[in-house]
Amino acid sequence: MNSAAARPSVLFVCVHNAGRSQMGAAFLTHLAGDRIEVRSAGSAPADAVNPAVVEAMAELGIDISAETPKILTTEAVQSSDVVITMGCGDTCPVFPGKRYLDWQLDDPAGQGVDAVRPIRDEIERRVRGLLAELGVPAASA
């Protein structure tokens, strides 16, 4: 089996792909490097990533300022091993054989960086837990 096929794929989904899913994808990319394929998308993507989210991630040395919200596609779900939903409810397509995790998290939309920090920290905690479940050691960052 080639190494690309062995690499798990994780998709983070929220409504706007401007906050929670962007933070989840950024933490997973930061901690797993190229050992996991990471995607994020939104059922109704915003025009830009939430500036308070960009600032909160920058405080940890993770730059997501160049990221843009992406539309959720059926193909993205079908090609992912794990789909993590963050408040998109019934708009997330469900396919048999996929592992779904629903992370109930406050929506950082319209919040300042002080309100975003605890959401960011909880997402990091859950991403580290996911890495442990997938058997992928977190990079020492």
Side-chain angles (χ1 to χ4, degrees):
M1 178 153 80
N2 69 38
S3 60
R7 201 168 65 138
S9 174
V10 176
L11 171 66
F12 291 91
V13 182
C14 65
V15 176
H16 301 299
N17 191 219
R20 294 166 290 186
S21 55
Q22 290 283 353
M23 288 190 281
F27 274 125
L28 190 53
T29 299
H30 181 72
L31 295 169
D34 61 1
R35 293 168 295 174
I36 294 181
E37 186 178 352
V38 181
R39 297 182 186 87
S40 71
S43 51
D47 293 330
V49 175
N50 179 334
V53 167
V54 172
E55 183 180 341
M57 294 301 285
E59 290 174 353
L60 300 181
I62 301 173
D63 180 8
I64 62 169
S65 61
E67 295 297 325
T68 56
K70 294 169 273 312
I71 186 73
L72 176 65
T73 64
T74 302
E75 295 77 26
V77 176
Q78 287 176 321
S79 57
S80 298
D81 299 310
V82 180
V83 179
I84 298 172
T85 58
M86 301 168 154
C88 63
D90 296 335
T91 61
C92 295
V94 175
F95 294 97
K98 301 292 172 195
R99 178 170 174 212
Y100 287 88
L101 300 173
D102 187 35
W103 291 359
Q104 296 293 325
L105 297 157
D106 292 334
D107 188 346
Q111 308 270 3
V113 73
D114 289 341
V116 171
R117 283 187 194 108
I119 302 167
R120 172 201 68 196
D121 294 346
E122 176 61 14
I123 290 172
E124 180 181 15
R125 187 186 70 74
R126 292 183 188 200
V127 165
R128 287 181 180 278
L130 176 68
L131 281 169
E133 287 175 34
L134 294 172
V136 176
S140 53

